[in-house]
Amino acid sequence: MPKKFSEIEKTQIKQKLLDSARSLFTRYGIKKTSVEDLTKGAGIAVGTFYAFYQSKEELFFELLEVEESEIRAALFENAADRPLNKEYFKSFLLESFKLMSENPIVQQILLAEQYEALIRKVPPERLERNYHQDQDFFYPFIEKWQAEGLLIKSPPALIVSMIRSLVLLSLHRREIGESVYEDTLELLISTIAEGLFIREEHYRND
């Protein structure tokens, strides 16, 4: 009969697994990390793992959500009370890009092979919930800036999708060229900001 854990024990075991997962997935990726590796790192039995997760991919996805939550909190702290202008909007896009693309756990899901494994192993409703978490974070900012006449009236879902697509650019750093990558990124973000941001002199005269 499977051992029953108290709530405190459950919390402690899940934290140990998340710590083990962060270390191993960062070093070896999802494919080269086994459930045995994860349980050894957490100091628990393999059978205990399956009392909490159906697969290593499901554990990875929980870790991904923790990392994304911390990134959103950092962005929110910086953006919540700052007045918006075009230069700050560019900085906001650039900071969003760097926090997402430079996070070693988020990088894992950007790899096509890893992403396909996650799609197969993680329940669809959990994937859908994650997608909406991004929207739920960015929507209040976008809608507030649109209500103030600062951003064009494109559907917020498209603007969120555009920010997410920026992160994918990091996968093509080599193809773009190391020598021009940073300049290309800054020019692309500047061009996007120019396209989304209503001219300051325009909204000042409204």
Side-chain angles (χ1 to χ4, degrees):
M1 178 178 290
K3 178 183 177 181
K4 290 186 177 179
F5 297 102
S6 68
E7 291 305 314
I8 292 176
E9 288 175 323
K10 288 179 181 177
T11 300
Q12 291 173 338
I13 291 171
K14 292 192 83 169
Q15 188 57 54
K16 287 179 180 177
L17 281 170
L18 286 171
D19 292 342
S20 177
R22 182 179 290 105
S23 173
L24 292 169
F25 287 143
T26 298
R27 279 188 285 170
Y28 305 116
I30 302 173
K31 188 176 181 180
K32 293 182 178 178
T33 300
S34 67
V35 170
E36 288 77 10
D37 295 330
L38 293 163
T39 54
K40 185 178 180 181
I44 64 171
V46 172
T48 302
F49 176 90
Y50 291 102
F52 292 86
Y53 302 100
Q54 295 181 1
S55 66
K56 63 179 180 180
E57 287 80 8
E58 190 174 352
L59 170 59
F60 172 84
F61 203 77
E62 181 155 323
L63 176 61
L64 176 70
E65 291 185 318
V66 170
E67 296 289 308
E68 288 184 336
S69 177
E70 292 176 357
I71 289 171
R72 292 189 192 101
L75 288 171
F76 180 82
E77 184 177 351
N78 291 335
D81 299 322
R82 292 187 59 172
L84 182 68
N85 56 40
K86 194 182 298 182
E87 286 308 310
Y88 175 68
F89 188 64
K90 292 176 186 176
S91 298
F92 178 80
L93 290 178
L94 186 60
E95 186 179 10
S96 300
F97 172 84
K98 288 187 172 180
L99 285 174
M100 296 294 284
S101 64
E102 294 176 2
N103 182 287
I105 299 302
V106 175
Q107 284 179 348
Q108 297 287 324
I109 200 174
L110 296 176
L111 301 174
E113 180 181 299
Q114 314 277 35
Y115 182 75
E116 289 171 6
L118 286 172
I119 292 295
R120 289 196 302 272
K121 298 289 184 64
V122 177
E125 61 273 15
R126 191 154 191 182
L127 294 171
E128 183 72 14
R129 187 185 72 184
N130 178 260
Y131 177 77
H132 287 295
Q133 284 173 342
D134 273 351
Q135 288 190 335
D136 291 344
F137 171 75
F138 282 112
Y139 268 31
F141 291 110
I142 293 170
E143 290 174 341
K144 175 176 180 289
W145 293 337
Q146 287 180 328
E148 292 173 353
L150 303 176
L151 293 185
I152 63 174
K153 297 289 187 181
S154 291
L158 292 182
I159 297 177
V160 173
S161 179
M162 181 207 63
I163 293 172
R164 292 176 71 127
S165 67
L166 263 178
V167 178
L168 297 176
L169 192 69
S170 64
L171 293 177
H172 302 284
R173 186 182 185 112
R174 182 179 301 174
E175 292 90 335
I176 293 170
E178 290 287 344
S179 62
V180 296
Y181 177 77
E182 294 294 339
D183 289 342
T184 301
L185 173 63
E186 290 191 17
L187 180 59
L188 180 60
I189 286 177
S190 178
T191 303
I192 290 172
E194 291 288 341
L196 290 176
F197 212 88
I198 295 173
R199 289 179 180 276
E200 293 181 35
E201 59 268 28
H202 172 71
Y203 68 75
R204 282 172 180 161
N205 292 331
D206 284 345

